[in-house]
Amino acid sequence: MKTPTLLENISTVYKRMSHAAMRAGRDPEEVKLIAVTKTVGVEQIREAMDAGLRIFGENRVQEAKAKIEELARLSTANFRLPTMEWHLIGHLQRNKAKYAVQLFDLIHSVDSVELAREISKHSEKIGKVQRVLVEVKLSPEETKHGVDRRNLMPVLAEVASMKYLLLRGLMAIPPFSENPEDARRYFKALRELRDAAQDCGIPLPELSMGMSGDFEVAIEEGATMVRVGTAIFGERK
Ligand SMILES: *Cc1c(COP(=O)(O)O)cnc(C)c1O
């Protein structure tokens, strides 16, 4: 079988997203596609931009910096690249917060008050209000990072009160499973935590959840951002 082209993959992902939204009675426009470009080269990112993608997610600060700078060099007086958004989706070390605020429109992975303070401090220095999500750890077998759900409310209250941060929502990565239905209860749990926080007066419009293997289930459960790599760019080497 012929491997599908990047354009075909993007088309398929968009259609699957729309259908999932409609199944859940949601407006497909509510769900943003974050194209995850870790390990993907600048040439392919260009192709994805030409195909209409505008939001890109990277999980490492250094790798993102190199690509963003290389892409910037493609813009000349006669040719402007379209405006893109870059999101940090991977774990952020405190000592890289300074670079993260220079590079990213949204940081999905705030997992402690200390990290939030560091980001806020560097945002103030460059005169920026940094948009962030708080990453939640929903189960012990999940990734190492994320705020324990039992501590979530006080952490959200603190992050929301920081002057140079704008808390926009929550992010989570459920434990890996071959069966996307296994992730449903985690996505539902994240939505319920969001609703509980909103009931306490903390607005959290964004839910970043769902990857190549389970983004449709995530959309059915309320995702507003899905982070999709493999289904767009193919298997990572
Ligand atoms: C790599 C990555 C993704 C995308 O994973 P795919 O399965 O390739 O879609 C999403 N979120 C995070 C945090 C990642 O590191």
Side-chain angles (χ1 to χ4, degrees), residues 122-156:
H122 288 290
S123 301
E124 179 178 11
K125 277 189 190 156
I126 65 165
K128 179 183 185 186
V129 177
Q130 177 68 55
R131 291 186 297 146
V132 300
L133 306 180
V134 164
E135 180 173 355
V136 184
K137 190 178 163 82
L138 295 170
S139 71
E141 71 270 26
E142 217 183 321
T143 50
K144 304 180 283 293
H145 307 292
V147 177
D148 191 303
R149 57 194 295 176
R150 286 161 300 189
N151 300 334
L152 186 61
M153 289 307 162
V155 172
L156 292 177

Side-chain angles (χ1 to χ4, degrees), residues 36 38 59 89 171 173 211-212 227-230 236:
V36 176
K38 62 185 182 208
N59 68 343
I89 59 172
M171 184 270 239
I173 310 171
M211 315 191 345
S212 291
R227 309 177 308 268
V228 179
T230 312
R236 283 181 289 275

Side-chain angles (χ1 to χ4, degrees), residues 1-232:
M1 204 181 76
K2 197 166 135 292
T3 36
T5 63
L6 181 62
L7 199 56
E8 286 164 344
N9 283 346
I10 292 170
S11 168
T12 304
V13 168
Y14 270 139
K15 291 193 171 114
R16 287 171 57 190
M17 286 173 63
S18 296
H19 286 130
M22 282 164 57
R23 276 199 299 281
R26 303 181 59 201
D27 178 355
E29 289 284 320
E30 286 172 25
V31 192
K32 290 177 280 285
L33 174 59
I34 320 291
V36 176
T37 48
K38 62 185 182 208
T39 79
V40 173
V42 164
E43 210 135 293
Q44 267 200 303
I45 297 176
R46 264 307 301 274
E47 261 186 76
M49 287 172 48
D50 289 342
L53 297 189
R54 290 291 178 271
I55 313 177
F56 298 93
E58 286 279 342
N59 68 343
R60 294 173 58 204
V61 173
Q62 277 317 107
E63 186 180 336
K65 186 171 189 291
K67 289 178 195 172
I68 292 168
E69 288 172 355
E70 200 178 329
L71 282 162
R73 283 196 288 274
L74 297 174
S75 279
T76 64
N78 300 320
F79 173 75
R80 291 236 135 259
L81 281 180
T83 306
M84 293 180 281
E85 259 186 53
W86 289 91
H87 290 192
L88 182 66
I89 59 172
H91 179 64
L92 177 60
Q93 289 171 299
R94 260 185 272 171
N95 61 9
K96 302 236 173 77
K98 178 182 168 184
Y99 304 102
V101 303
Q102 293 167 0
L103 293 167
F104 296 103
D105 299 288
L106 180 66
I107 297 172
H108 290 228
S109 48
V110 171
D111 62 356
S112 71
V113 168
E114 292 73 25
L115 175 61
R117 274 204 200 98
E118 198 65 17
I119 297 171
S120 184
K121 183 181 94 186
H122 288 290
S123 301
E124 179 178 11
K125 277 189 190 156
I126 65 165
K128 179 183 185 186
V129 177
Q130 177 68 55
R131 291 186 297 146
V132 300
L133 306 180
V134 164
E135 180 173 355
V136 184
K137 190 178 163 82
L138 295 170
S139 71
E141 71 270 26
E142 217 183 321
T143 50
K144 304 180 283 293
H145 307 292
V147 177
D148 191 303
R149 57 194 295 176
R150 286 161 300 189
N151 300 334
L152 186 61
M153 289 307 162
V155 172
L156 292 177
E158 273 232 49
V159 174
S161 75
M162 290 184 195
K163 201 162 173 189
Y164 302 97
L165 298 188
L166 182 61
L167 175 60
R168 292 286 297 162
L170 304 179
M171 184 270 239
I173 310 171
F176 176 80
S177 163
E178 291 291 343
N179 180 2
E181 280 301 325
D182 292 344
R184 187 179 295 278
R185 67 190 178 98
Y186 296 99
F187 295 145
K188 184 164 177 281
L190 194 70
R191 171 175 30 93
E192 288 170 351
L193 288 168
R194 190 272 310 269
D195 293 346
Q198 295 207 133
D199 288 344
C200 298
I202 303 173
L204 298 170
E206 306 285 1
L207 281 180
S208 167
M209 56 189 196
M211 315 191 345
S212 291
D214 53 21
F215 66 86
E216 287 152 300
V217 176
I219 291 169
E220 287 169 9
E221 294 301 331
T224 63
M225 294 180 173
V226 291
R227 309 177 308 268
V228 179
T230 312
I232 296 175

